[in-house]
Amino acid sequence: MQRPNWKSTPFFTRMLVFNLMLILVLGIIPLVVLFQYVMSAYNQELKNFNFQAVKQIRSTIDEQFLKPTVQIANRNLTETTSGEPPLFYPMTHNIRNEYSSLTNIVTILSSIEGELTFANSVDMYYRNNNVFFYGTKFFCFLSESDCKLGFRSEWLREFQQTETQIGWYTIEAEDNEDHEKLISYVRSYPYFATLENRKAVFAINLKESAIRKKLTQSLDQVKGLTFILDDQGHLVSSNGSGEEEQAFLALREHWSQMTEEKPILNTEWNGKEAVAALTKSEINKWRYVTIVEKSVFYKRATDLRNFMYVLGGALLAIGILLVYMLTKKAHQPIGHALMAYSMQIHDLHDQLSKNEPVIKYHYIMNLLTGTGEPDLDRPVSDMQRFLDVQLLEEHFVCFNVKPMDGLDGNSRHDVAAAYRIIERLEQPHDPAYRIWAIVSEDRHIYGIVNSSVIASERLEPNLLEQIRQATDQMYCLCMGSSYKVAETPLSVSHREACEAARYAYFYPDRAVLRYADLHTASRKASDGTLKALDDLADALRAADQAKVQQTLQLILQDTLSETYTEEYGQNVLTELVFTIRKTLKSMGISLTELFGYDIRDHAKSFPNIKLFSTWLDQVVTTSLQYIEEKRRSPDQDLDIRVKTFIEEHLFGELSLDIVAEHIGVTPNYLSRLFKQSAGVTFIEYVTRRKLETAAKLLSENNHSVNEIAAMLGYQSTNHFIRIFKEKYGQTPKQYQKLEA
């Protein structure tokens, strides 16, 4: 009997066609979908890579150039307890006729320049003397000479006539010594002082070529371009040539579309597709922009696409061959294929379920930071369906639930409590709202509320009630403003909620803090608080407890007056702690021995101003008690013996070692005790008493200047004349004639 020809039967044909269609549906279509998903994810990763690259460049420039510049300025314009720094002397003294003081300032500025390898020069202007030190080699009295300040005139005029406190200036002029482009960092002293109370202006002129070199090292010009822009959009530096800089500036309006909310931009560069990324400096208002041709980074994407094509073709060929063979042998592989795909889908579902919290965190964080805003013109994505995060209603508002520590200052908040709060918030307690929330790295809870109408009088009590039911720990609900989904990015309301969370430090008793109620736009960023700090220092030295407490309360109330920004309030509290520390150290008190820690670091550990105020009151009370105890101690008799010995030996040799040996104590102990008791160092006290005695002898007109200098133990008459003039404002001879 002849065998049937299965290839020619209708059943075989139908079976073969059916299996081929099945392999197409279950094999090729998922492969195409997977390919599209992989390419989309890879494109997003490329954008993220470019964004990380510009952030890395920003960190390099900020850390290696801007931060050291600001730090060295702060260090040299900060008073110390070891005496008045030389840069502060011309602020309160007339140095017009003191050549040694003038040359000393020039020397100090030169040494500051030497600390920064990328500095061109260091400038200093003193308002009291109207003198300008520039180029770390020259100085000029502006009211008496025709000073050629060149490129420095622009920023000096601004700091003389406006309330400007700090600024970064790109100098295009060629009148500097090396005829190169400079970047000037300029700040006033004191930093918080108003224009009429300003004492000096300090500037460091950086070499733009050093920054340009670092930009070139960070991103090769062949691979892409890096630009640094100021807050006006003007070019500060780049790694490109002059022609590329001009081309970039010509397209400046195009780049101005980039913001911190939308830092990635698809564009064209040199006629090719490119990606531009932007980020803002953490030190000043500079913006960093990188432009990279897609072809530089997309080679891997092209290789991946070609590999997927080859793989898809190979799988299709194998599938067709396998179907033909199975069909020919009258097997039935359909059930086995369906079972295999069912198992794969089940495994994929399990993996997605396990990673859902991580996927949800990144998705919502991208929405809140502006890197993944939803496109309302496109259909709902698979990711939105999977996470059930769909902004279907018209309005939204973002919130920030900030943990607030207990009155003992110990943090008891844990991640488990935060997730219990999220679980309560996301439950459908109120049909008018839909809520999604995540836990951030700083233990804050970021959230989105979507509704047809946002009514705070109903929403906020609901949120507070869910938080209270989830945990007994203290939290502050910080709310951004309500917006329409179609008109405003989510990142705007999220940024407002985070801003309100920073202000929660100054409102520890508020359960709800609304950004709209803070009126941040009308708050001041600076004001004159130096007088109150000086009063506090004087009261501490005098151990006047009532005055100390009164001044302290005035300063703290000033930060809580809703007149100033959060940043200003934090700066005032920092200056307050620094003033107390500096004053106590000037009195010879060791804060480490008294408190057992550095009060500057400890002050940063308090989560709100209430705990900070309580701690600060304890610091002041302990300090005042210590000062009183020291004044009543037996060491007071030692102070009298030292001063008596000094009076008896004014016309002989006097030194700290001689007096210490006479009293029977060590020189270090005597120095510390004398400074604590007299408020001045041993040398300062001896010099003052010798000069007072010299003035008395000069008024008697019985001795010459040389004789008096010798009588008081000065081996150099010129040295005696110089220090006498510093104290009395005239030479000994002039003083003697006037008294005569």
Side-chain angles (χ1 to χ4, degrees), residues 75 448 515 556 651 700:
R75 187 172 71 247
I448 307 170
Y515 174 80
L556 293 175
F651 294 99
E700 295 174 356

Side-chain angles (χ1 to χ4, degrees), residues 482-550:
S482 172
Y483 296 99
K484 290 187 176 181
V485 175
E487 297 177 358
T488 307
L490 292 170
S491 56
V492 174
S493 183
H494 172 66
R495 188 168 60 252
E496 293 176 350
C498 292
E499 180 76 8
R502 287 194 291 271
Y503 278 90
Y505 181 91
F506 295 96
Y507 301 94
D509 297 326
R510 291 195 186 182
V512 179
L513 199 59
R514 306 179 190 89
Y515 174 80
D517 296 341
L518 295 174
H519 306 291
T520 58
S522 61
R523 291 176 178 254
K524 297 180 181 179
S526 64
D527 201 356
T529 59
L530 294 177
K531 180 61 171 61
L533 294 175
D534 291 340
D535 292 342
L536 177 64
D538 293 339
L540 272 175
R541 293 189 186 95
D544 188 343
Q545 184 171 1
K547 182 66 174 178
V548 169
Q549 295 294 343
Q550 179 184 7

Side-chain angles (χ1 to χ4, degrees), residues 43 46-47 275 294-303:
N43 286 336
L46 289 178
K47 289 184 178 181
V275 176
K294 286 187 176 181
S295 59
V296 174
F297 294 105
Y298 277 27
K299 185 179 184 303
R300 290 178 60 191
T302 303
D303 295 341

Side-chain angles (χ1 to χ4, degrees), residues 347-357 359 386:
D347 293 341
L348 179 61
H349 179 75
D350 287 344
Q351 293 180 10
L352 288 175
S353 299
K354 293 178 181 179
N355 294 294
E356 181 178 354
I359 298 173
F386 171 69

Side-chain angles (χ1 to χ4, degrees), residues 46 61 142 152 237 358 494 518 620 669 673 690 704:
L46 289 178
I61 301 301
L142 301 184
R152 300 170 173 89
S237 184
V358 177
H494 172 66
L518 295 174
V620 170
Y669 175 77
L673 178 64
K690 282 181 176 290
S704 66

Side-chain angles (χ1 to χ4, degrees), residues 395 397 432-433 449 451-461 482:
H395 293 82
V397 63
Y433 303 110
V449 180
S451 174
S452 58
V453 176
I454 298 293
S456 60
E457 63 274 7
R458 178 177 172 182
L459 170 64
E460 292 168 2
S482 172

Side-chain angles (χ1 to χ4, degrees), residues 569-589:
Q570 293 289 358
N571 288 336
V572 168
L573 298 182
T574 300
E575 289 289 333
L576 178 60
V577 174
F578 179 78
T579 299
I580 294 175
R581 180 180 181 274
K582 180 178 69 173
T583 303
L584 294 177
K585 289 191 68 177
S586 69
M587 299 173 66
I589 299 176

Side-chain angles (χ1 to χ4, degrees), residues 186-443:
V186 189
R187 62 153 292 180
S188 64
Y189 180 85
Y191 182 72
F192 291 111
T194 56
L195 181 60
E196 57 271 15
N197 293 325
R198 184 167 295 166
K199 296 181 180 180
V201 180
F202 180 81
I204 299 178
N205 303 309
L206 310 181
K207 299 175 183 177
E208 185 270 344
S209 58
I211 296 180
R212 179 181 294 268
K213 181 178 180 182
K214 181 58 66 175
L215 291 177
T216 303
Q217 294 173 351
S218 299
L219 182 62
D220 192 339
Q221 185 178 343
V222 176
K223 295 183 179 179
L225 297 177
T226 304
F227 298 92
I228 302 177
L229 308 176
D230 61 17
D231 56 339
Q232 301 298 322
H234 299 132
L235 184 65
V236 176
S237 184
S238 75
N239 69 336
S241 63
E243 295 180 359
E244 290 166 332
E245 289 184 358
Q246 293 302 321
F248 174 80
L249 294 176
L251 297 173
R252 184 163 52 194
E253 294 183 0
H254 183 57
W255 307 128
S256 64
Q257 302 175 21
M258 300 172 64
T259 63
E260 289 188 81
E261 290 77 20
K262 296 181 178 180
I264 306 295
L265 177 68
N266 290 320
T267 183
E268 288 187 2
W269 185 255
N270 291 332
K272 299 180 181 179
E273 291 186 358
V275 176
L278 173 143
T279 188
K280 187 178 180 182
S281 171
E282 297 179 346
I283 305 299
N284 57 18
K285 296 182 179 180
W286 285 0
R287 290 176 293 168
Y288 296 84
V289 179
T290 58
I291 306 172
V292 181
E293 293 182 9
K294 286 187 176 181
S295 59
V296 174
F297 294 105
Y298 277 27
K299 185 179 184 303
R300 290 178 60 191
T302 303
D303 295 341
L304 178 62
R305 180 189 61 194
N306 296 335
F307 173 75
M308 294 290 286
Y309 286 156
V310 173
L311 179 62
L315 291 176
L316 178 60
I318 294 173
I320 293 175
L321 179 62
L322 183 62
V323 166
Y324 177 80
M325 292 176 61
L326 294 175
T327 306
K328 179 180 178 181
K329 294 182 178 181
H331 288 173
Q332 297 181 357
I334 299 175
H336 296 286
L338 291 177
M339 180 63 70
Y341 278 110
S342 176
M343 293 298 295
Q344 293 178 10
I345 293 174
H346 184 269
D347 293 341
L348 179 61
H349 179 75
D350 287 344
Q351 293 180 10
L352 288 175
S353 299
K354 293 178 181 179
N355 294 294
E356 181 178 354
V358 177
I359 298 173
K360 175 186 175 184
Y361 171 83
H362 288 289
Y363 182 78
I364 293 181
M365 183 60 74
N366 287 339
L367 292 179
L368 294 176
T369 57
T371 57
E373 293 290 350
D375 189 348
L376 301 178
D377 296 330
R378 298 180 61 183
V380 178
S381 65
D382 294 337
M383 183 65 73
Q384 290 174 315
R385 290 194 185 94
F386 171 69
L387 297 175
D388 194 19
V389 181
Q390 304 177 41
L391 301 179
L392 302 178
E393 303 298 339
E394 183 179 4
H395 293 82
F396 76 91
V397 63
C398 295
F399 61 84
N400 183 330
V401 182
K402 178 180 181 180
M404 303 293 288
D405 295 310
L407 295 178
D408 57 355
N410 296 320
S411 174
R412 300 183 298 111
H413 300 272
D414 50 48
V415 177
Y419 280 105
R420 287 198 302 271
I421 294 174
I422 290 178
E423 184 179 3
R424 293 286 307 181
L425 291 176
E426 292 187 342
Q427 290 178 4
H429 297 284
D430 192 328
Y433 303 110
R434 188 68 199 278
I435 300 175
W436 302 276
I438 58 174
V439 179
S440 67
E441 295 179 355
D442 56 0
R443 297 186 294 119

